[in-house]
Amino acid sequence: MGGVTVLTASYAGAASAPAYARLAELAAELAGEQLVRRDAAWPVVGYEDVRTAIAAAEALRSSASRGPAGELLRIALHSAPTAVQATRHAEHLLAIANPGQTLLTATTAALSDAAGITDLGVHRLRDLGSAERIFELTSTAQPLRSLDLVPNNLPVMFTSFVGRTTQVAALRTQLAGSRLVTLTGPGGSGKTRLAAQTAAQLAERWTDGVWWVDLSAITDSTQIPEAVAAAVGLLVEPGDRLLIGQLRHKQVLICLDNCEQIIDGVAEFVTALQIGCPEVTVLATSREPLDLPGEAVWRVPALSPDEARTLFLERSGTPADGVEAERAVRAICQRLDGIPLALELAAAWGRTLTPTQIEAGLEDRFGLLTKNVRGVAARQRTLAASIDWSYDLLDDDERRAFRRLAVFAGGFTLEAAATVSGAVPVVLARLVDKSLVVAENGRYRLLETIREYVAARLTDDDVRDRHLDHYLQVAEAAEPLLDSDRDAWRALIEPDRENFRTALDHGLAADDPDRGRRLAAALRWLWNLQATGTEGIGYLRRAIERAPDDRTLLQARLFYGYATVADTVDPFGYDAAGRGLDLATELGDDRLRSLFLAMVAVGEFFTDLQKAWDLTVEGVRLADGIGNEHARNANVGLQCVLLALWDRHDDLRPLLDRAAAGLVTSGERGIASTVLTTWSESLMSTGEPRKAVELAERALAAAEPLADFHRVGSARAQLASVLVRTGQADEARALMRPLLELAETAGSVVPNLGQAMSVISLWTGEYDAAVEWLARDAAPDSPLAGTFAPAMLLPTVAAAKRALGRDATELLERAAGLARAHKLPRPLSDVLDQLGRDAIAEQPDKAAELLHEALTIRVDHGLRTYLIDSLESLALLANHTNRPADAARLARAAANAREDIGLGVPADHPELPLSGEPALTLDEAVAYARRTRGARGRPSSGWASLTPTEEQVVALAVEGLSNPEIGERLFMSRGTVKTHLAHVYTKLGVANRTELASLKKA
């Protein structure tokens, strides 16, 4: 390889001036050419041979070790075609070295045959290039000080950063003293690159990361929090409260790039950050200041003549051979005022034109723009001249394609470019070569300055129609994935979100809105991602209202889209589900009818569980009739929740397994997370707490890729709830901490936060907190008062109040009434158990009735985890009624069962004597408790022996209802009905329904 290997060295830390003087002396003794670096305080030595350079590095380290600060010496070597390139990269490598290290780039290591070179793996240097493999000649085993040590999303730059050493140093100082620094200057002046480079060099200052946010494609300031949250990887919702809440205690640098088109919105957002997030620093780039108090405005200067020359020559790829070429290059740099983008554009022609020809081309164009134009800065005129000139040098095909590319927002694919602009690959490639189009990661985009320039020349209105047509075709072609693989749909659609917004705005504003309405219908699920629901229902409502009297399938699809998005954004604001169901019925579309039935059932869910169930039954029937698994799963997902509420776990499990698998496979993460959460709670109830934790973790994993605040919040709350009940309170609190911060700082309503925190507080003995967390939702005048929700919440509140020594009878009786009205077994058994415990001291007979009724409900519905509570309650009763042996036996069985299934011990757990005899199993202990009820117990035969549930079964059987009908009425399986009837026949001494009816009449 031709070229040069550069050795550069410096001390880590604050070495003294004498130490650096000694280093310079040692370097001067080395073989090789001393390279002069005006902006470096350390030696730079060049070698034609890599082996000689490595030997020099070893000699320098040996000599330095015998002097002061020798242990702090760090050395870097890099090989490149030119000394300038080698030196620049070697210095970036040196910046990540630790004291005592000698580092080599992969290029240098490959050319060396030195022994003992250690591969340190792939690392990213502070020059913002791609990650590269680094080698060590020494053996320090220390982690490199690369960008990888700091969380960041700094952009990858594929060209070198030239010059700006003074500016970077000044910016470093500025950022040390100000929490808001804005780089200003005309388009193309290098604001973006300078900001990114400064951020990279200072990254370690911010322990929680450096986050780059490109605002160039954003035209609506309400989208700023969304863009920031997406860059940092935080949850989002409309507005900035949630984001600010998450950033409140973080040390981060947020780089807001290209603020000018939404300057007022950025100013408002930054003000909110400054007030709410004391450790957040903002580095912004804009054509004008944000004009905020405390803002440090830093105007980006032009490159110096030498820097401009270096940039032009490196980008053009050709040397300035000869006096005339050198003169022309310097003239070009002078006439372009050292503006980086102008130099880049001019240098792009270096492959086909000589420097003299480039200079001549600029001459005429500058002449056209020397007059004074009001409102346009001189450098903007200079940049416009360079772009004008580049534009005029394009051939007709290039120019036409270039103009049309202005219609794209946020980037585009090769296919999109060809379809919309007619830019065939070879034309697009030429535009990339000429720095007018940026190619990155398989996509293309125009720099915003270029896009603004060319958009003013886009007079072909047809291109906007083609843009709409293309993205409509993409969206409609992807629609089948919404039923089969939503993750694939998201990966296909999400990158073009900005283009879809542009196409929707154009299509819905057209005289004939049909294409815009079709696009809105096809994109319905896009707004369930990244918490953009409010924006989505805005588009969908506009689409619906552009043809309010339409009675076609398209209108029905728009209603469905609105209903699904509004479910978590504005569920009661617009009856899209009901209107859509009517229209789908009118059109005879069973698939949409099934989907709408699920959405209408969601609306009935809180107030009429049976009606919600009936709707989903019809939805499943329709879906099965047409063989549509997606429509079926939409209804079955809600059925799972209903069956769990009714504690019909035997009926629930087959649905859960099938629904969860289908939903996860198809990428329907929202419903999948809900189903997995339901499964988790079912396992917790039925005696499998460890598996409940696993399912809750799966629910959270399913929800997280959506970055949707509601779904992630619900999944976190469920996981925290099962963690604390399995004895992992610290883990539960840690999981909820981010959500608590959101609630406290952003004022966000986090789904199930109160319920989860109340359970955590109850189990850890913080009883006042347990009451307070549910005070609003459990109040008699709560918005939830008319729903089943208080029945689920009040037992926790009552338990906390009882632990505090307060009377909870009123709460428990209200909960019992709601639980009976909505037919909710588990909450009812919880209430009866607590009422029974309260009655032990004064009314042991009543306590026995209540506790055995709770036990029967738990046995009948398979609530094995809560059987442990029943055994402990009955042990308390036995202890009080002078049956210590029974008490100890039941308590021992309960304690063993807790340990066996992995259930934790709550803070209000009663102290009970434990039997020393071998423990009964859970089932044996339950059977024992029911057999040894004693004189206060229910008789073993006759009408008085029947449990309340058995009495209900008898009444319905005598009415003539079949087993399936009784099961549906009482929310139990037909097998459970059959078991109850068998018990009844035995207790009453009858053989069949006929004898039962006769006995009842008698």
Side-chain angles (χ1 to χ4, degrees):
M1 163 186 158
V4 61
T5 296
V6 160
L7 177 157
T8 185
S10 74
Y11 293 106
S16 64
Y20 270 104
R22 173 62 178 162
L23 178 61
E25 292 173 0
L26 293 175
E29 296 171 4
L30 297 174
E33 179 185 0
Q34 298 288 320
L35 304 176
V36 178
R37 289 279 287 154
R38 296 176 184 173
D39 52 359
W42 46 80
V44 178
V45 186
Y47 297 88
E48 294 182 357
D49 180 69
V50 172
R51 286 169 294 186
T52 305
I54 290 176
E58 292 173 333
L60 178 61
R61 180 166 299 285
S62 176
S63 300
S65 66
R66 296 189 289 271
E71 72 280 3
L72 300 179
L73 183 66
R74 51 186 183 171
I75 302 172
L77 297 99
H78 175 60
S79 306
T82 69
V84 172
Q85 294 169 327
T87 300
R88 185 185 301 128
H89 203 68
E91 289 178 344
H92 284 300
L93 180 62
L94 185 67
I96 70 168
N98 292 292
Q101 282 187 317
T102 299
L103 301 182
L104 289 72
T105 62
T107 305
T108 301
L111 296 171
S112 167
D113 57 1
I117 295 179
T118 303
D119 185 347
L120 299 183
V122 175
H123 298 270
R124 195 172 178 206
L125 277 57
R126 304 297 175 104
D127 63 352
L128 294 176
S130 299
E132 60 182 276
R133 190 166 296 280
I134 305 299
F135 295 83
E136 183 177 5
L137 188 61
T138 45
S139 299
T140 61
Q142 299 178 68
L144 296 181
R145 298 168 58 246
S146 66
L147 275 180
D148 307 302
L149 291 180
V150 181
N152 75 89
N153 70 333
L154 288 169
V156 175
M157 301 295 184
F158 295 102
T159 56
S160 56
F161 179 69
V162 175
R164 302 289 200 192
T165 304
T166 303
Q167 287 79 18
V168 170
L171 270 176
R172 288 168 63 103
T173 303
Q174 194 76 267
L175 281 166
S178 176
R179 290 180 53 220
L180 171 59
V181 176
T182 303
L183 304 187
T184 65
S189 59
K191 302 183 294 296
T192 294
R193 188 64 188 267
L194 179 57
Q197 197 66 48
T198 304
Q201 292 198 15
L202 295 177
E204 65 271 14
R205 284 193 189 175
W206 293 277
T207 57
D208 294 310
V210 174
W211 305 106
W212 189 265
V213 186
D214 184 1
L215 301 178
S216 61
I218 293 179
T219 56
D220 182 352
S221 59
T222 62
Q223 297 166 13
I224 296 172
E226 171 192 338
V228 174
V232 184
L234 300 176
L235 300 175
V236 293
E237 68 174 5
D240 58 20
R241 291 187 308 166
L242 173 61
L243 175 62
I244 290 171
Q246 293 173 94
L247 292 173
R248 183 175 181 83
H249 300 297
K250 291 187 180 295
Q251 289 184 328
V252 299
L253 173 66
I254 295 178
C255 305
L256 301 176
D257 190 33
N258 296 304
C259 301
E260 52 270 4
Q261 79 279 8
I262 46 170
I263 192 74
D264 293 336
V266 173
E268 292 177 7
F269 175 73
V270 171
T271 298
L273 277 182
Q274 297 266 291
I275 294 172
C277 307
E279 295 186 281
V280 171
T281 300
V282 175
L283 177 61
T285 74
S286 175
R287 295 186 188 181
E288 59 181 303
L290 302 184
D291 199 22
L292 292 175
E295 177 185 20
V297 179
W298 210 89
R299 299 193 180 279
V300 177
L303 293 173
S304 71
D306 286 342
E307 290 173 336
R309 175 185 177 276
T310 301
L311 177 65
F312 180 88
L313 292 176
E314 283 198 11
R315 298 299 191 264
S316 67
T318 56
D321 291 332
V323 176
E324 180 57 26
E326 178 65 25
R327 185 207 60 76
V329 168
R330 292 197 174 274
I332 291 168
C333 295
Q334 181 182 4
R335 294 186 178 190
L336 293 180
D337 278 353
I339 296 176
L341 180 56
L343 292 165
E344 300 258 7
L345 292 169
W349 292 97
R351 295 181 185 178
T352 54
L353 300 176
T354 66
T356 303
Q357 289 173 318
I358 293 173
E359 182 195 11
L362 286 175
E363 181 71 36
D364 292 338
R365 293 300 170 258
F366 281 135
L368 295 174
L369 292 172
T370 55
K371 60 183 180 180
N372 184 25
V373 180
R374 290 188 180 91
V376 178
R379 283 180 182 152
Q380 286 175 311
R381 293 199 300 271
T382 303
L383 178 60
S386 68
I387 302 175
D388 271 339
W389 170 74
S390 294
Y391 180 78
D392 288 345
L393 285 177
L394 299 175
D395 63 31
D396 290 342
D397 289 341
E398 291 170 343
R399 192 177 298 121
R400 181 167 52 253
F402 183 41
R403 283 197 307 268
R404 292 172 176 174
L405 290 177
V407 76
F408 290 106
F412 50 90
T413 63
L414 182 62
E415 178 189 1
T419 303
V420 175
S421 72
V424 296
V426 66
V427 172
L428 189 60
R430 291 204 297 267
L431 292 173
V432 171
D433 283 344
K434 294 168 184 176
S435 299
L436 295 172
V437 174
V438 178
E440 53 190 9
N441 301 320
R443 288 176 63 85
Y444 302 86
R445 65 181 175 89
L446 276 69
L447 295 174
E448 191 55 31
T449 301
I450 301 296
R451 182 172 182 266
E452 180 181 319
Y453 169 89
V454 74
R457 289 153 179 78
L458 179 60
T459 59
D460 183 0
D461 289 336
D462 289 344
V463 73
R464 293 181 175 85
D465 287 333
R466 288 197 296 275
H467 181 271
L468 170 59
D469 287 337
H470 172 74
Y471 285 103
L472 175 60
Q473 186 275 327
V474 170
E476 291 186 335
E479 250 191 305
L481 290 173
L482 289 174
D483 285 355
S484 61
D485 190 347
R486 294 204 172 189
D487 286 343
W489 185 93
R490 179 164 55 101
L492 181 65
I493 298 297
E494 181 69 50
D496 278 306
R497 182 184 283 264
E498 296 301 329
N499 280 309
F500 285 119
R501 282 172 169 145
T502 299
L504 278 169
D505 285 332
H506 178 64
L508 292 177
D511 292 338
D512 179 359
D514 181 69
R515 289 177 300 166
R517 297 177 74 237
R518 285 166 54 197
L519 182 58
L523 291 175
R524 60 188 178 276
W525 201 62
L526 180 63
W527 317 111
N528 282 314
L529 305 173
Q530 306 294 336
T532 52
T534 301
E535 179 187 6
I537 61 175
Y539 280 121
L540 287 159
R541 190 155 190 169
R542 279 173 61 194
I544 291 168
E545 293 178 351
R546 280 304 313 267
D549 300 323
D550 182 31
R551 304 299 292 173
T552 67
L553 184 60
L554 174 57
Q555 190 80 328
R557 292 171 60 225
L558 288 167
F559 279 132
Y560 178 66
Y562 189 103
T564 58
V565 177
D567 180 38
T568 57
V569 178
D570 185 23
F572 306 112
Y574 189 71
D575 185 23
R579 294 177 63 183
L581 178 59
D582 291 342
L583 182 52
T585 302
E586 176 186 321
L587 296 170
D589 189 309
D590 283 350
R591 178 180 179 277
L592 270 179
R593 284 180 64 202
S594 177
L595 291 169
F596 275 120
L597 284 165
M599 297 307 304
V600 174
V602 170
E604 299 288 348
F605 179 71
F606 281 97
T607 55
D608 193 334
L609 297 179
Q610 183 60 51
K611 187 173 181 181
W613 174 266
D614 292 342
L615 288 164
T616 62
V617 168
E618 175 65 8
V620 170
R621 186 189 68 78
L622 289 173
D624 284 344
I626 59 174
N628 190 289
E629 191 72 9
H630 174 69
R632 184 185 191 280
N633 285 338
N635 285 277
V636 169
L638 186 55
Q639 286 187 335
C640 290
V641 178
L642 291 167
L643 289 172
L645 287 171
W646 289 327
D647 288 303
R648 292 169 54 179
H649 300 284
D650 289 341
D651 298 329
L652 172 62
R653 293 301 166 79
L655 291 184
L656 283 171
D657 203 4
R658 178 177 171 183
L663 290 163
V664 171
T665 300
S666 66
E668 177 51 281
R669 292 181 173 274
I671 302 177
S673 177
T674 299
V675 168
L676 290 168
T677 295
T678 300
W679 196 345
S680 168
E681 191 59 32
S682 174
L683 289 166
M684 174 56 74
S685 295
T686 56
E688 299 182 87
R690 295 185 183 96
K691 286 187 178 179
V693 172
E694 294 176 13
L695 267 293
E697 290 171 343
R698 283 177 58 189
L700 182 56
E704 282 182 326
L706 300 177
D708 179 79
F709 173 59
H710 294 273
R711 294 180 177 92
V712 173
S714 295
R716 274 183 176 258
Q718 173 62 23
L719 180 54
S721 176
V722 293
L723 283 173
V724 73
R725 287 181 282 171
T726 54
Q728 302 175 74
D730 291 342
E731 293 85 346
R733 289 191 183 279
L735 190 69
M736 295 302 291
R737 192 168 294 120
L739 300 182
L740 289 171
E741 292 174 358
L742 298 183
E744 292 171 3
T745 61
S748 301
V749 179
V750 181
N752 300 332
L753 174 65
Q755 185 174 359
M757 291 307 303
S758 185
V759 170
I760 292 172
S761 300
L762 176 65
W763 275 67
T764 55
E766 299 178 16
Y767 302 118
D768 285 320
V771 173
E772 185 60 31
W773 273 111
L774 291 178
R776 182 182 62 180
D777 290 341
D781 58 351
S782 160
L784 299 175
T787 73
F788 71 82
M792 310 294 291
L793 306 178
L794 286 169
T796 301
V797 180
K801 285 196 170 186
R802 292 175 57 250
L804 290 167
R806 302 176 193 169
D807 183 13
T809 304
E810 182 181 347
L811 287 178
L812 291 169
E813 289 177 348
R814 180 154 64 94
L818 287 168
R820 292 186 192 278
H822 292 284
K823 300 180 175 60
L824 305 174
R826 182 168 65 83
L828 179 58
S829 69
D830 289 346
V831 169
L832 294 173
D833 192 81
Q834 291 193 52
L835 287 170
R837 288 196 185 192
D838 286 346
I840 287 175
E842 302 294 333
Q843 298 174 288
D845 288 342
K846 180 180 179 182
E849 290 295 327
L850 291 166
L851 293 177
H852 276 278
E853 185 179 356
L855 176 61
T856 298
I857 291 172
R858 288 166 172 170
V859 170
D860 289 349
H861 292 86
L863 302 173
R864 295 183 63 78
T865 298
Y866 299 97
L867 292 177
I868 296 172
D869 294 332
S870 281
L871 292 180
E872 290 168 347
S873 296
L874 289 168
L876 288 170
L877 176 63
N879 204 44
H880 181 77
T881 54
N882 297 316
R883 290 183 289 130
D886 287 347
R889 189 170 292 118
L890 295 176
R892 173 66 183 275
N896 268 36
R898 275 189 186 277
E899 183 176 352
D900 287 346
I901 69 174
L903 191 66
V905 179
D908 64 346
H909 186 263
E911 292 292 333
L912 288 165
L914 302 179
S915 169
E917 62 188 40
L920 299 174
T921 67
L922 184 58
D923 290 331
E924 289 171 343
V926 169
Y928 178 81
R930 302 180 91 176
R931 285 198 311 272
T932 58
R933 187 169 177 185
R936 299 185 181 87
R938 186 180 286 118
S940 59
S941 63
W943 289 108
S945 70
L946 301 186
T947 67
T949 303
E950 290 168 347
E951 290 176 354
Q952 289 179 301
V953 171
V954 168
L956 295 175
V958 170
E959 285 183 27
L961 273 67
S962 66
N963 285 8
E965 290 171 333
I966 295 172
E968 188 157 341
R969 185 76 64 87
L970 297 181
F971 313 109
M972 62 181 66
S973 69
R974 66 182 66 183
T976 303
V977 175
K978 185 177 180 180
T979 300
H980 280 307
L981 284 173
H983 291 163
V984 168
Y985 295 160
T986 300
K987 291 178 179 181
L988 298 182
V990 297
N992 51 46
R993 284 174 176 254
T994 303
E995 292 181 14
L996 177 63
S998 299
L999 184 61
K1000 182 70 174 176
K1001 291 177 182 177

